[in-house]
Amino acid sequence: MRLNTAVTMSLVTIRAHWSYARAIVVGEWFALSLLATGCGEASHDAIRIGGAGWFSSPTVTAADNLVGIQIAVDEANAAGGVLGRRLELVVADDHGVGTDAARVAEQFVNDPSIVAVVGHSISQAMLGAVSIYDGHLAAVGSTTTAPGLTNVSHWFFRAARSDAALGAQLAGFAIAQHWNRIAILYENDDYGRMLARSFRSRAEHLGGTVVSNDSFIDGDSDLTIFAKMYARLQPDVIVVICTDGSARAFLQAAVAHHLKSHIIGADGWTASLATTPSADGVFVPSAFLPDDNRPRAEYYRERFRARYGREPDAVSALAYDAARAVIAAIAQGGATRQGVQRALASKEFVVDGASGAVRFKDGDRVGSGGGLVQVRDGKFNTYLRWPDEP
């Protein structure tokens, strides 16, 4: 994701009892968070953790990312804190840009009171910050999926699965359905290229044939051209890797040209797409399933509903899980930077998250979590659950 305007970053100390009653959209939340600047000095006995991401992005999911982190902090404090001390969250907006994220990382590293970081939320930002955290401060990304982050630092971990792992799993699903003739359409950015490459490699390894492999530039391409081409090719399945706006445009074109192919979307597709009539029947991977009835998933869903009156999505759930991993590492390793890093890197480390068990190997999440949803009756419905175990 890109931002062309220069912005000045600020660190905001957010008290764990912060009320979210009025924070319905990101604009309101961010305005409220700015009001907290200068509210007073941090408590001397508090354990402070950083929260980094593109929280000012004009999307609800950006706000949801921060809400997920805050719910985990509130939960820990309501239970008496960690190691007998309350938690404080220090929030910094990186605007999804690597250079801004690097400045955030420097501020966190140079603040000795901060013992760990939850974030960043965008791969491009994390790539800009990870070398600064290395050797100094453990960071657990929420929705950073770039394969280039695998094993990049012993101090970086992520709650989301990498694009390489997800692409391979989606390919396995497609081939298992005997959808052997495959078209791939992807947005020509790092995310699109990586996920498309992973899917294609695994699909061809399993005996599938990619009959068309096409890219486009978001907002600058006529997606009806691809719908017309696929109507002639008639692939068994079309894998569409992009964000919501382009997804809607392609789905509408697919209906207009009477495509009969199955369609698999990307994990960047949000639940709002389900209300688009042309989305009916589409498969979408999601780290958080709408009907997951496991205790931790139910707990998170109830807390989110209580604050917003709507269902949480995978973005907020992964942010919650990343924060729970940091909090559990503090409890296990102690309230020091080295202790947190050692706990997260331990082979025995595991924490129960909203999306399933969270554990790490080479910084990547081990196992799957979540599953595949299908759009039916204007909403996401669970189609299958990925196994939690690797």
Side-chain angles (χ1 to χ4, degrees), residues 345-357:
S346 169
K347 293 180 180 179
E348 288 73 40
F349 180 84
V350 61
V351 64
D352 190 21
S355 62

Side-chain angles (χ1 to χ4, degrees), residues 284-334:
V284 180
S286 177
F288 186 66
L289 299 176
D291 61 350
D292 192 336
N293 59 4
R294 289 175 294 185
R296 182 57 55 183
E298 286 284 8
Y299 173 90
Y300 182 69
R301 188 178 291 110
E302 289 169 5
R303 295 302 179 276
F304 192 95
R305 283 173 180 160
R307 293 185 176 189
Y308 289 101
R310 59 183 172 86
E311 295 297 316
D313 63 7
V315 169
S316 66
L318 288 171
Y320 171 77
D321 288 356
R324 274 186 58 79
V326 164
I327 293 166
I330 294 171
Q332 294 177 28

Side-chain angles (χ1 to χ4, degrees), residues 183-267:
I184 303 175
L185 178 64
Y186 62 93
E187 189 173 333
N188 196 6
D189 59 11
D190 288 343
Y191 167 69
R193 289 190 294 270
M194 290 295 182
L195 190 52
R197 184 182 306 161
S198 173
F199 184 98
R200 179 174 188 172
S201 175
R202 184 59 178 167
E204 291 179 338
H205 177 77
L206 294 174
T209 300
V210 176
V211 298
S212 190
N213 188 52
D214 310 293
S215 67
F216 67 92
I217 299 174
D218 183 33
D220 195 32
S221 300
D222 181 6
L223 300 186
T224 60
I225 294 173
F226 299 105
K228 290 178 181 178
M229 178 172 63
Y230 300 149
R232 293 195 303 272
L233 289 173
Q234 296 185 20
D236 298 325
V237 64
I238 305 167
V239 182
V240 185
I241 303 168
C242 60
T243 51
D244 279 8
S246 296
R248 285 191 178 88
F250 178 78
L251 292 174
Q252 290 166 2
V255 170
H257 290 85
H258 310 291
L259 290 187
K260 303 299 182 184
S261 306
H262 298 283
I263 295 177
I264 297 176
D267 56 344

Side-chain angles (χ1 to χ4, degrees), residues 83 327-344:
L83 304 176
I327 293 166
I330 294 171
Q332 294 177 28
T336 68
R337 294 179 172 187
Q338 293 76 15
V340 172
Q341 188 275 338
R342 284 195 297 268
L344 289 168

Side-chain angles (χ1 to χ4, degrees), residues 150-151 157 344-347 359-366:
T150 297
N151 205 20
F157 307 84
L344 289 168
S346 169
K347 293 180 180 179
R359 55 176 72 86
F360 306 106
K361 180 181 180 183
D362 296 331
D364 279 357
R365 181 168 179 169
V366 179

